[in-house]
Amino acid sequence: METNKKGAVYALALGLPAGLICCSLFLSLANYFPFSLLLKVSSFRVFWHPASWVAVVAVLGASLWYCGLHIPKWLQKHDVLRTSFIFTLRVNIRLLVGMVVIYFGGIGFRMFTGHKPLLAAIPYGIMAIAGLLALGTLIATITISLAIVQLTKNKLKITPGV
């Protein structure tokens, strides 16, 4: 296996199951009234369509693979924690863009089918998505991403050139 693909393999092997667990936890929050109200008001119900979650998993997998390919290069320039933060930030930015596209696509589809979403709540929906991904970036940097980067570093025996 090529050395630059080891980071991508670790990113998919560790990051995809962790991402799926986090997604299922977010889906289970819909059972509680405050979150159910937020879902209804901000038109987040578009994420409860199975096609939306297939798209989210596809975006997550593609961004984990693409950013995982760059881990060895980042490890040569930075230490493990900074590389973990860069990796997580880049994965989550791609995921944020994908989720915003899905969000607007779902709202457009609902408008096309005759439903009237609350358009004034769209900024709150985008802020909620960005806030959750920012929180996820902070948590994932010191947990799963750190494990991915450390495994890649140990396997490739890279020393930072800072």
Side-chain angles (χ1 to χ4, degrees):
M1 182 183 305
E2 295 179 35
T3 58
N4 63 344
K5 289 189 179 178
K6 288 188 191 282
V9 169
Y10 286 134
L12 273 181
L14 295 175
L16 198 57
L20 292 175
I21 290 170
C22 288
C23 289
S24 64
L25 288 174
F26 287 133
L27 285 174
S28 68
L29 288 176
N31 296 329
Y32 300 104
F33 178 72
F35 298 106
S36 178
L37 182 64
L38 174 68
L39 292 173
K40 192 169 285 273
V41 169
S42 63
S43 298
F44 274 174
R45 288 282 178 200
V46 295
F47 289 115
W48 267 249
H49 194 277
S52 297
W53 284 102
V54 168
V56 167
V57 170
V59 169
L60 178 63
S63 62
L64 283 169
W65 180 264
Y66 180 75
C67 294
L69 290 175
H70 296 287
I71 290 176
K73 178 179 68 173
W74 295 332
L75 275 171
Q76 291 174 349
K77 296 178 185 175
H78 306 292
D79 62 342
V80 174
L81 191 59
R82 186 176 296 169
T83 301
S84 174
F85 178 74
I86 292 169
F87 171 73
T88 306
L89 186 66
R90 293 201 177 181
V91 167
N92 283 350
I93 286 173
R94 285 174 175 76
L95 191 59
L96 174 69
V97 169
M99 289 180 78
V100 167
V101 167
I102 292 167
Y103 180 68
F104 281 119
I107 287 176
F109 179 74
R110 288 182 58 85
M111 289 174 65
F112 179 72
T113 58
H115 292 86
K116 299 279 184 179
L118 185 59
L119 296 178
I122 289 176
Y124 300 112
I126 293 173
M127 286 190 302
I129 291 171
L132 286 173
L133 286 176
L135 180 66
T137 300
L138 293 175
I139 293 171
T141 297
I142 57 173
T143 55
I144 194 72
S145 295
L146 193 60
I148 292 168
V149 171
Q150 188 64 44
L151 278 171
T152 304
K153 179 183 176 191
N154 292 345
K155 191 67 171 180
L156 298 178
K157 297 175 180 51
I158 296 174
T159 57
V162 176

